[in-house]
Amino acid sequence: MWRLIKKVALVVLALFTVWVVYEAVTFPRVSRLRTQNPETTSMIEARVSEARKEGRAPRRVQVWVPLERISPELQRAVLAGEDARFTAHDGFDYEAIQNAWEEGRREAEKEAKAEGENPEENWIPPLPSF
């Protein structure tokens, strides 16, 4: 019995170690952004992909400028555009997360009904209240 427990523990430890190494290798190095501009972003890649699908050559025009050259008003406007309630929470807008979860559930149910499935079979539980 103890041999089995040891083997299971070693397998779990090995998997955990592999996962930690993978995360360490693939985790973005945010500190590099102080000295290096990113070569690309997910938005840039999405636009390149869209252009190629439409048979157009991707056009990429970007000019990196230091943050000090961007007015504080524009910086705040970008933040507000991304998250209108950014001043009202500490990093996670739980109300927005809850609303997005509920909207996703409703959309999934609608899609299931449209495809002739019983939504009860693929029931997604409500998100716990925060």
Side-chain angles (χ1 to χ4, degrees), residues 12-118:
V12 169
L13 181 61
L15 290 173
F16 180 75
T17 303
V18 168
W19 176 74
V20 168
V21 169
Y22 172 79
E23 288 296 324
V25 170
T26 61
F27 195 77
R29 306 291 185 258
V30 177
S31 60
R32 289 183 188 165
L33 295 176
R34 289 191 181 277
T35 58
Q36 297 174 335
N37 293 319
E39 293 178 18
T40 189
T41 65
S42 58
M43 180 61 77
I44 291 170
E45 293 303 316
R47 296 296 183 249
V48 166
S49 178
E50 288 172 7
R52 288 188 178 136
K53 284 180 185 174
E54 295 171 2
R56 297 182 288 117
R59 196 186 85 172
R60 184 171 163 181
V61 178
Q62 67 186 46
V63 177
W64 296 100
V65 296
L67 187 60
E68 300 79 43
R69 287 192 43 210
I70 300 172
S71 73
E73 291 79 12
L74 179 57
Q75 292 177 37
R76 282 194 296 274
V78 169
L79 286 174
E82 289 293 321
D83 180 1
R85 293 174 23 96
F86 79 100
T87 58
H89 60 75
D90 295 320
F92 293 98
D93 188 348
Y94 293 110
E95 184 179 320
I97 293 169
Q98 183 80 40
N99 292 340
W101 181 270
E102 294 301 325
E103 184 178 332
R105 285 185 57 216
R106 286 190 297 273
E107 285 297 317
E109 287 177 8
K110 215 184 293 182
E111 287 177 22
K113 285 179 184 175
E115 293 174 5
E117 296 177 12
N118 181 1

